[in-house]
Amino acid sequence: MQCDLLHPRTHDRGIVSTAETLYNADDRPRSARLPRLARRTQLLGAAQEVFVAQGYHAAAMDDIADRAGVSKPVLYQHFPGKLELYLALLDQHCELLVDAVRSALESTTDNKQRVAATMGAYFQFVEHESGAFRLVFESDLVNEAAVRDRVSKAELDCAELISAVIAEDTGLNQEESMVLAVGLTGISQVTARYWLSSGMPVPRDTAAQLISQLAWRGIAGFPHL
C-alpha cells in the first residue's frame, strides 16, 4: 500500500499560529489546511520519500517539512521528533509485509501454490516503487532498540504464520516447523533484495517462480505436503 500522493503546495490562507507565521516569513509555498488524519498521511508520505532517499541519519526534519510543504511547527504538531516519525513509518510497512504474507498463505489450500504466493509476496514488497522495504530490511538505524525490535517482530510474525501451516500439514512440532519457516522467509527476503539490487535481470514473476521451485523441492519432502 502506497501512501497518498502529496498535496499541491499552496499558500495557507487559514488562521495560523504565531510560530507558524514567523516560520512562513520566507514566503515559501505551504500546503492547504487538511483534516488531521489527512495531514498525518501527507507527512508520512513526505517522510517516507526523504528517509528512503537519504537514510535516517542524513534526513532532517527541515527536509521532511519542505517536502510536505508545511512549516516545522506543523510537522511537530503530529510527530514530536524524527525517531517517532521513522517508527510510525516502520510500523506501517512492517504491518504491510506481515499482511502480505498472511494473504499469500490464505489465498489457496494448495501447498505448492502457497509457497509460490509467499515468495511472490516478498518480491512484490521489495519491488514496490516507494522503496519502503529499505526501512524494514536496510535501515541505517538498526542499532536503535525500537527499530530492531519492530523489524525482528515483523520477521518473527511472518515466520510464525508460515510455521503454523507447516506444523498443521506435516505433523512436525512447533520448534521444527519454526526452523523451516525461518529458512523460507530468509530465502525469500535475501533473494528478492538481491534480485532488485542486481537490476532485476529477469522478470519478477520468473525470479519468484525460480525461488519458489527451489523452496518447494525442499519443503515438499516432509510428510503430508
Side-chain angles (χ1 to χ4, degrees):
M1 178 179 66
Q2 186 178 7
C3 291
D4 292 340
L5 294 175
L6 299 183
H7 291 265
R9 296 183 178 185
T10 58
H11 288 288
D12 190 347
R13 301 178 184 276
I15 300 173
V16 294
S17 66
T18 301
E20 186 173 352
T21 301
L22 292 174
Y23 188 85
N24 284 338
D26 59 4
D27 291 328
R28 279 180 290 180
R30 297 297 172 190
S31 62
R33 285 194 175 278
L34 294 173
R36 185 170 183 82
L37 182 58
R39 176 66 78 195
R40 178 182 172 87
T41 298
Q42 181 205 25
L43 295 176
L44 286 171
Q48 179 174 303
E49 292 181 9
V50 173
F51 285 134
V52 168
Q54 302 181 22
Y56 177 84
H57 294 294
M61 292 294 270
D62 284 321
D63 299 329
I64 296 168
D66 285 344
R67 184 68 62 92
V70 302
S71 66
K72 281 179 69 176
V74 169
L75 181 57
Y76 281 113
Q77 285 173 9
H78 293 265
F79 300 98
K82 186 168 72 168
L83 178 60
E84 289 77 12
L85 184 50
Y86 190 88
L87 292 176
L89 277 171
L90 188 59
D91 286 338
Q92 182 181 84
H93 292 290
C94 283
E95 182 178 353
L96 285 174
L97 175 61
V98 175
D99 286 346
V101 170
R102 181 183 292 106
S103 295
L105 292 169
E106 293 176 350
S107 66
T108 178
T109 57
D110 181 280
N111 286 318
K112 184 176 182 179
Q113 293 304 314
R114 274 176 170 161
V115 171
T118 302
M119 298 296 169
Y122 276 88
F123 276 81
Q124 289 174 11
F125 183 74
V126 166
E127 190 196 26
H128 196 278
E129 62 184 12
S130 69
F133 81 94
R134 300 187 188 282
L135 304 178
V136 181
F137 294 142
E138 299 178 1
S139 174
D140 61 345
L141 197 59
V142 290
N143 289 331
E144 170 65 43
V147 172
R148 187 170 59 250
D149 290 347
R150 282 166 167 79
V151 173
S152 295
K153 184 179 185 303
E155 292 173 341
L156 183 64
D157 287 348
C158 289
E160 286 179 341
L161 289 169
I162 297 170
S163 174
V165 174
I166 293 174
E168 180 180 356
D169 289 347
T170 64
L172 295 174
N173 64 40
Q174 182 178 356
E175 290 75 16
E176 292 169 334
S177 298
M178 193 64 178
V179 169
L180 292 175
V182 170
L184 290 173
T185 60
I187 290 173
S188 305
Q189 179 202 139
V190 172
T191 306
R193 289 169 58 199
Y194 164 77
W195 169 78
L196 185 69
S197 66
S198 62
M200 298 178 286
V202 298
R204 185 192 72 197
D205 289 346
T206 300
Q209 184 62 28
L210 285 170
I211 200 63
S212 67
Q213 287 175 351
L214 174 64
W216 175 249
R217 288 174 181 172
I219 196 68
F222 291 89
H224 309 305
L225 280 169

PDB file of all heavy atoms in Angstrom, residues 66 90 95 99 120 154 163 168 175 182:
ATOM      1  N   ASP A  66       9.839  20.581   4.260  1.00  0.00           N
ATOM      2  CA  ASP A  66       9.885  21.167   2.919  1.00  0.00           C
ATOM      3  C   ASP A  66       9.227  20.248   1.892  1.00  0.00           C
ATOM      4  O   ASP A  66       8.509  20.707   1.002  1.00  0.00           O
ATOM      5  CB  ASP A  66      11.337  21.441   2.510  1.00  0.00           C
ATOM      6  CG  ASP A  66      11.918  22.651   3.216  1.00  0.00           C
ATOM      7  OD1 ASP A  66      11.136  23.449   3.767  1.00  0.00           O
ATOM      8  OD2 ASP A  66      13.158  22.814   3.211  1.00  0.00           O
ATOM      9  N   LEU A  90       7.848   2.782  10.007  1.00  0.00           N
ATOM     10  CA  LEU A  90       8.306   1.401  10.150  1.00  0.00           C
ATOM     11  C   LEU A  90       7.141   0.498  10.573  1.00  0.00           C
ATOM     12  O   LEU A  90       6.979  -0.609  10.033  1.00  0.00           O
ATOM     13  CB  LEU A  90       9.436   1.331  11.171  1.00  0.00           C
ATOM     14  CG  LEU A  90      10.155  -0.011  11.305  1.00  0.00           C
ATOM     15  CD1 LEU A  90      10.770  -0.424   9.966  1.00  0.00           C
ATOM     16  CD2 LEU A  90      11.237   0.086  12.378  1.00  0.00           C
ATOM     17  N   GLU A  95       3.714  -3.892   9.121  1.00  0.00           N
ATOM     18  CA  GLU A  95       2.357  -4.438   9.090  1.00  0.00           C
ATOM     19  C   GLU A  95       1.974  -4.850   7.669  1.00  0.00           C
ATOM     20  O   GLU A  95       1.335  -5.891   7.459  1.00  0.00           O
ATOM     21  CB  GLU A  95       1.366  -3.406   9.624  1.00  0.00           C
ATOM     22  CG  GLU A  95      -0.071  -3.906   9.684  1.00  0.00           C
ATOM     23  CD  GLU A  95      -1.030  -2.877  10.265  1.00  0.00           C
ATOM     24  OE1 GLU A  95      -0.563  -1.824  10.747  1.00  0.00           O
ATOM     25  OE2 GLU A  95      -2.256  -3.127  10.231  1.00  0.00           O
ATOM     26  N   ASP A  99       0.917  -8.615   6.606  1.00  0.00           N
ATOM     27  CA  ASP A  99      -0.387  -8.811   5.968  1.00  0.00           C
ATOM     28  C   ASP A  99      -0.241  -9.470   4.603  1.00  0.00           C
ATOM     29  O   ASP A  99      -1.083 -10.288   4.198  1.00  0.00           O
ATOM     30  CB  ASP A  99      -1.109  -7.473   5.818  1.00  0.00           C
ATOM     31  CG  ASP A  99      -1.663  -6.951   7.131  1.00  0.00           C
ATOM     32  OD1 ASP A  99      -1.731  -7.733   8.100  1.00  0.00           O
ATOM     33  OD2 ASP A  99      -2.029  -5.762   7.197  1.00  0.00           O
ATOM     34  N   GLY A 120       6.232 -14.798  -3.847  1.00  0.00           N
ATOM     35  CA  GLY A 120       5.804 -13.653  -4.639  1.00  0.00           C
ATOM     36  C   GLY A 120       5.515 -12.432  -3.795  1.00  0.00           C
ATOM     37  O   GLY A 120       5.775 -11.294  -4.212  1.00  0.00           O
ATOM     38  N   ALA A 154       8.399  -8.260  13.052  1.00  0.00           N
ATOM     39  CA  ALA A 154       7.788  -8.486  11.742  1.00  0.00           C
ATOM     40  C   ALA A 154       8.309  -9.783  11.127  1.00  0.00           C
ATOM     41  O   ALA A 154       7.545 -10.582  10.580  1.00  0.00           O
ATOM     42  CB  ALA A 154       8.074  -7.308  10.814  1.00  0.00           C
ATOM     43  N   SER A 163       5.078 -21.107   9.815  1.00  0.00           N
ATOM     44  CA  SER A 163       5.310 -22.253  10.698  1.00  0.00           C
ATOM     45  C   SER A 163       4.002 -22.968  11.045  1.00  0.00           C
ATOM     46  O   SER A 163       3.954 -24.199  11.110  1.00  0.00           O
ATOM     47  CB  SER A 163       5.997 -21.785  11.981  1.00  0.00           C
ATOM     48  OG  SER A 163       6.113 -22.835  12.907  1.00  0.00           O
ATOM     49  N   GLU A 168       0.798 -27.832  10.774  1.00  0.00           N
ATOM     50  CA  GLU A 168      -0.506 -28.444  10.517  1.00  0.00           C
ATOM     51  C   GLU A 168      -0.429 -29.516   9.436  1.00  0.00           C
ATOM     52  O   GLU A 168      -1.067 -30.572   9.540  1.00  0.00           O
ATOM     53  CB  GLU A 168      -1.502 -27.361  10.104  1.00  0.00           C
ATOM     54  CG  GLU A 168      -2.895 -27.892   9.807  1.00  0.00           C
ATOM     55  CD  GLU A 168      -3.857 -26.798   9.394  1.00  0.00           C
ATOM     56  OE1 GLU A 168      -3.456 -25.605   9.416  1.00  0.00           O
ATOM     57  OE2 GLU A 168      -5.006 -27.130   9.044  1.00  0.00           O
ATOM     58  N   GLU A 175       8.823 -26.315  17.234  1.00  0.00           N
ATOM     59  CA  GLU A 175      10.209 -25.883  17.087  1.00  0.00           C
ATOM     60  C   GLU A 175      10.758 -26.257  15.713  1.00  0.00           C
ATOM     61  O   GLU A 175      11.437 -25.456  15.051  1.00  0.00           O
ATOM     62  CB  GLU A 175      11.071 -26.497  18.189  1.00  0.00           C
ATOM     63  CG  GLU A 175      10.806 -25.955  19.590  1.00  0.00           C
ATOM     64  CD  GLU A 175       9.513 -26.501  20.192  1.00  0.00           C
ATOM     65  OE1 GLU A 175       8.985 -27.512  19.682  1.00  0.00           O
ATOM     66  OE2 GLU A 175       9.038 -25.899  21.172  1.00  0.00           O
ATOM     67  N   VAL A 182      11.602 -20.090   9.246  1.00  0.00           N
ATOM     68  CA  VAL A 182      12.626 -19.040   9.236  1.00  0.00           C
ATOM     69  C   VAL A 182      13.515 -19.188   8.006  1.00  0.00           C
ATOM     70  O   VAL A 182      13.907 -18.204   7.366  1.00  0.00           O
ATOM     71  CB  VAL A 182      13.461 -19.070  10.530  1.00  0.00           C
ATOM     72  CG1 VAL A 182      14.676 -18.156  10.412  1.00  0.00           C
ATOM     73  CG2 VAL A 182      12.605 -18.661  11.726  1.00  0.00           C
TER      74      VAL A 182
END
